[in-house]
Amino acid sequence: MATIKVKYRPSTVKGREGTLFFQIIHRRIARQINTGYRLFTHEWDCAQGRVDVTSATDNVRHRYLEALETDLRNDLSRLQAIVTRIEGSGRNYDADGIVALFGTARNDVGFVAFARTLIAHLSGIGRTSISTAYATTISSFLRFLDDRRDVALADFDSDLMQAYEVWLRAGGLCPNSSSYYMRNLRAIYNRAVERELTVQNHPFRHVYTGVDKTVKRAVPLRVIRRIRDMDLTDSPALDYARDMFMFSFYTRGMSFVDMAFLQKKDLHNGILSYRRRKTNQLLTIKWEKPMQDIVDKYDTTASPYILPIIRDIGRDGRRQYKNVAHFVNIKLKSIGRRINLDIPLTTYVARHGWASIARSKNIPLATISEAMGHDSETTTRIYLASLDTSVVDRANHIILSSL
C-alpha cells in the first residue's frame, strides 16, 4: 500500500517562502510531486501536516492561507483517489506510476475551470485588480469558445491562441487590446505550469503580446494653462472634472486610482507620501498651493480621503473610484471639445502631459523617471517615445524645405 504525505521544504534563503510537496512511498521507493504552493516556515504545522491558518498576521494573509489549504487538500484527495483506484484494480504498480497518473489527471483539468479557481483565490487574498482583469479576459475567451465551455490544459496550444487572436481582431479590437487579453491568458497559463498542472508548450509564441505606441496623449503647457483658466461656473460637473485633471497634473501626473485613495494622514508637514497601487513604490511630493486650492473647494470633513472621489465610506471604494473615473473622463472629453483639442482629453493626458512638458524643459530623464514612479529610465524612455513627435516633425520640415 502506497503512503502519501505532505512535506514542507524551507527555503535556503533566509526570510523567503519554502515549498510544499507530496511524498509518495511504495515498496520503499520514494517519489516527490511539487505542489507549486509556497508559504513561510511558521505557517506550516509539521505535527499536523497542514497549513497553520491561525499564524496569519492580517486578514489578507489569512485568506491566502485558507485558500492554499483548500487547494492542497483537493490535490491530496485526487492523489489518494488515484491510489485507491489502482489498489482496487489489483494491478501491479510503483511510485513512478502514481506520479504519472497524477500528472495525467492534472492535464485533464480545464483551463477555464483552473482560471476561475485562480480568480477566486486572488480575489480572496485582496488582489482585486488582477482578479478583475483575469475575469474580464476569461469572459472574452468563453465567448470565443462558444459551444465549448472549456478546453483541457493539455489542449491549450498555439493553434488555439492564433484562432483566438483572429477572433479578437475580427471583432474590431486593436493590437494593444488583443495583446492585453493574450498577456492575461499567458499569466493564467503560466500559473498552471508553475503548479505542474501541465507542461510548458509555449502556446503564445505565434501571437502578439507586445505593446504598440499609442496615439499621442500629451499636450503642451499652453493647453494645460488654457484648461486651468477656463470659466466653468456654468457647469459644476465640468469644473469638478477639470479640478481632478489639474490635481493630477500638479502632482506630477498622479494616476486617478492613487488620487482616489489618498488619505489625509498621507499629508504631513507639507509632504504628501503615498504608494503607487500599480507598483507599491513609495513616492513623496511637496505640497503646493494649487493642490491645496483644489482640496479647499470641496467639503471632505467627514471623510478620511483628501479628494471627493470615494464619498460613501461604507461602500466598495474600488467600485466608486471606477465609476467616478468614468464620469470624469466623459466630462473631460467635453472640455476638450470646448477648446477644439485634437485628441480626447482624459486623466491620462495629465500624466503624459506632465512628462512631455518636463522633457521639453530639459529636465533630466532620471528626474522625470523618479517623479513618475517608473522602475527604470528605460521605462521612461519608452513612455516618452510616443508622447511628442513635434521635434522630429520640425526636423523633417527643415529637410523638406531645403530641397
Side-chain angles (χ1 to χ4, degrees):
M1 177 70 179
T3 59
I4 305 170
K5 295 181 179 180
V6 184
K7 295 284 189 176
Y8 175 74
R9 181 183 294 113
S11 173
T12 57
V13 180
K14 186 178 180 180
R16 295 282 293 273
E17 294 173 304
T19 57
L20 290 171
F21 63 93
F22 295 120
Q23 183 187 69
I24 299 101
I25 302 176
H26 184 57
R27 295 175 182 170
R28 300 182 180 179
I29 302 296
R31 293 291 183 265
Q32 296 179 3
I33 299 175
N34 181 25
T35 66
Y37 305 131
R38 294 180 174 274
L39 72 170
F40 294 105
T41 301
H42 70 275
E43 296 172 334
W44 178 247
D45 186 341
C46 286
Q48 298 295 323
R50 64 186 304 120
V51 178
D52 183 5
V53 178
T54 62
S55 67
T57 56
D58 55 53
N59 290 333
V60 172
R61 193 65 182 178
H62 187 273
R63 289 194 295 269
Y64 170 75
L65 294 179
E66 279 188 333
L68 191 153
E69 174 67 11
T70 299
D71 290 346
L72 184 66
R73 293 304 147 191
N74 288 338
D75 285 348
L76 182 59
S77 295
R78 285 197 294 270
L79 192 52
Q80 290 170 334
I82 289 171
V83 173
T84 301
R85 189 169 66 248
I86 298 176
E87 290 278 350
S89 70
R91 301 195 315 265
N92 289 327
Y93 68 95
D94 56 19
D96 288 320
I98 296 172
V99 173
L101 286 171
F102 185 66
T104 301
R106 282 183 158 193
N107 283 338
D108 288 338
V109 174
F111 177 83
V112 175
F114 169 75
R116 284 172 169 162
T117 301
L118 177 62
I119 290 165
H121 167 68
L122 291 170
S123 178
I125 63 173
R127 301 287 303 279
T128 307
S129 179
I130 193 66
S131 65
T132 301
Y134 288 174
T136 301
T137 300
I138 290 302
S139 294
S140 168
F141 187 57
L142 276 171
R143 290 195 296 273
F144 159 71
L145 290 176
D146 197 12
D147 58 332
R148 290 191 300 166
R149 302 315 297 168
D150 206 344
V151 57
L153 280 167
D155 296 329
F156 198 89
D157 57 18
S158 178
D159 289 342
L160 181 67
M161 288 301 93
Q162 289 182 81
Y164 179 47
E165 183 178 56
V166 169
W167 182 83
L168 289 172
R169 298 290 179 84
L173 267 66
C174 67
N176 277 351
S177 297
S178 171
S179 176
Y180 169 80
Y181 288 120
M182 290 296 176
R183 294 196 306 274
N184 284 335
L185 288 182
R186 183 176 61 187
I188 295 169
Y189 177 81
N190 286 341
R191 289 285 192 112
V193 173
E194 181 183 283
R195 294 189 184 184
E196 297 184 353
L197 295 175
T198 188
V199 296
Q200 179 60 264
N201 287 319
H202 305 288
F204 300 91
R205 62 184 179 275
H206 296 309
V207 295
Y208 182 66
T209 56
V211 180
D212 280 352
K213 288 183 180 180
T214 56
V215 175
K216 173 187 169 185
R217 289 176 174 173
V219 292
L221 192 59
R222 57 179 172 77
V223 173
I224 298 293
R225 189 180 296 114
R226 187 176 177 190
I227 293 170
R228 181 199 63 186
D229 296 339
M230 288 178 71
D231 181 4
L232 296 174
T233 53
D234 64 321
S235 176
L238 294 183
D239 189 40
Y240 170 78
R242 188 260 306 276
D243 285 342
M244 296 303 102
F245 177 90
M246 292 306 303
F247 187 90
S248 173
F249 183 82
Y250 294 150
T251 53
R252 307 189 316 230
M254 186 185 297
S255 67
F256 200 80
V257 64
D258 291 331
M259 288 169 49
F261 288 94
L262 284 179
Q263 296 199 23
K264 292 170 183 175
K265 64 182 181 180
D266 298 330
L267 180 58
H268 186 67
N269 291 334
I271 299 296
L272 179 66
S273 302
Y274 73 99
R275 288 191 178 275
R276 286 197 69 197
R277 297 180 80 85
K278 183 176 181 179
T279 63
N280 202 39
Q281 183 178 358
L282 179 65
L283 297 179
T284 59
I285 299 175
K286 181 182 178 183
W287 194 250
E288 302 281 359
K289 184 179 182 300
M291 306 172 195
Q292 187 64 46
D293 289 342
I294 289 176
V295 171
D296 288 343
K297 285 180 63 174
Y298 302 92
D299 182 9
T300 59
T301 52
S303 171
Y305 297 109
I306 290 177
L307 294 170
I309 297 174
I310 300 174
R311 300 172 187 264
D312 189 342
I313 308 304
R315 290 176 52 228
D316 184 354
R318 186 168 185 83
R319 183 181 294 274
Q320 291 183 69
Y321 134 70
K322 284 193 169 185
N323 289 340
V324 175
H326 180 68
F327 170 82
V328 166
N329 280 323
I330 288 175
K331 297 305 177 184
L332 286 177
K333 289 182 176 67
S334 179
I335 291 174
R337 288 191 292 270
R338 283 196 179 195
I339 60 175
N340 297 317
L341 200 60
D342 59 356
I343 62 170
L345 186 64
T346 67
T347 54
Y348 285 112
V349 175
R351 181 169 176 80
H352 287 239
W354 189 92
S356 180
I357 292 166
R359 191 61 171 160
S360 71
K361 298 291 185 183
N362 295 319
I363 293 174
L365 188 68
T367 303
I368 298 173
S369 182
E370 181 179 353
M372 303 195 73
H374 288 159
D375 52 6
S376 71
E377 289 184 27
T378 301
T379 302
T380 310
R381 286 192 185 93
I382 295 171
Y383 192 86
L384 287 167
S386 63
L387 294 184
D388 189 4
T389 60
S390 59
V391 175
V392 178
D393 290 338
R394 284 196 297 271
N396 187 50
H397 178 73
I398 292 172
I399 292 171
L400 296 184
S401 298
S402 65
L403 286 176

